[in-house]
């Protein structure tokens, strides 16, 4: 499962001999490919933030009320949403070329 859960890293160009060539190539790619914010990405990010904040609030309320089940459920929800947010961020960084 680990092999399928991470974003692919950009591969180095085999024809580039120096770091300067690689930097120029990356600059050309960035200039020609501006990052596009699509509607599904914005909706996914908004929902992930909503679930993250809901999980944190649930965990705080569970701690305040001394309810272990509510605290654990809130922490699980917040951690899962946080991982989804990190995945969205990594994917958008790989797509725009600024990894």
């Amino acid at each position: 499962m680990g092999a399928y859960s991470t974003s692919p890293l950009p591969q180095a160009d085999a024809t580039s001999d120096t770091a300067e060539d690689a930097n120029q190539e990356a600059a050309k790619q960035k200039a020609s490919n501006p990052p596009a914010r699509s509607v599904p990405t914005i909706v996914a990010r908004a929902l992930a933030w909503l679930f993250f904040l809901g999980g944190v609030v649930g965990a705080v309320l569970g701690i305040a009320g001394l309810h272990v089940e509510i605290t654990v459920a809130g922490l699980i929800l917040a951690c899962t949403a946080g991982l989804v947010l990190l995945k969205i961020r990594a994917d958008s960084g790989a797509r725009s070329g600024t990894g």
Side-chain angles (χ1 to χ4, degrees):
M1 183 175 138
Y4 299 109
S5 63
T6 59
S7 300
L9 295 174
Q11 298 294 328
D13 189 15
T15 60
S16 296
D17 293 340
T18 64
E20 185 176 321
D21 291 339
N23 287 339
Q24 289 175 354
E25 188 67 30
K28 287 179 189 176
Q29 184 180 13
K30 244 182 11 180
S32 66
N33 242 352
R37 295 188 185 262
S38 62
V39 173
T41 304
I42 294 171
V43 170
R45 185 173 288 163
L47 286 174
W49 273 108
L50 180 70
F51 287 139
F52 178 75
L53 293 175
V56 170
V57 168
V60 168
L61 291 176
I63 291 171
L66 296 177
H67 297 289
V68 175
E69 296 88 359
I70 296 173
T71 303
V72 170
L75 289 174
I76 290 172
L77 184 64
C79 289
T80 305
L83 289 173
V84 169
L85 285 168
L86 287 173
K87 175 73 172 155
I88 292 171
R89 181 179 180 185
D91 287 345
S92 67
R95 191 176 24 237
S96 67
T98 58

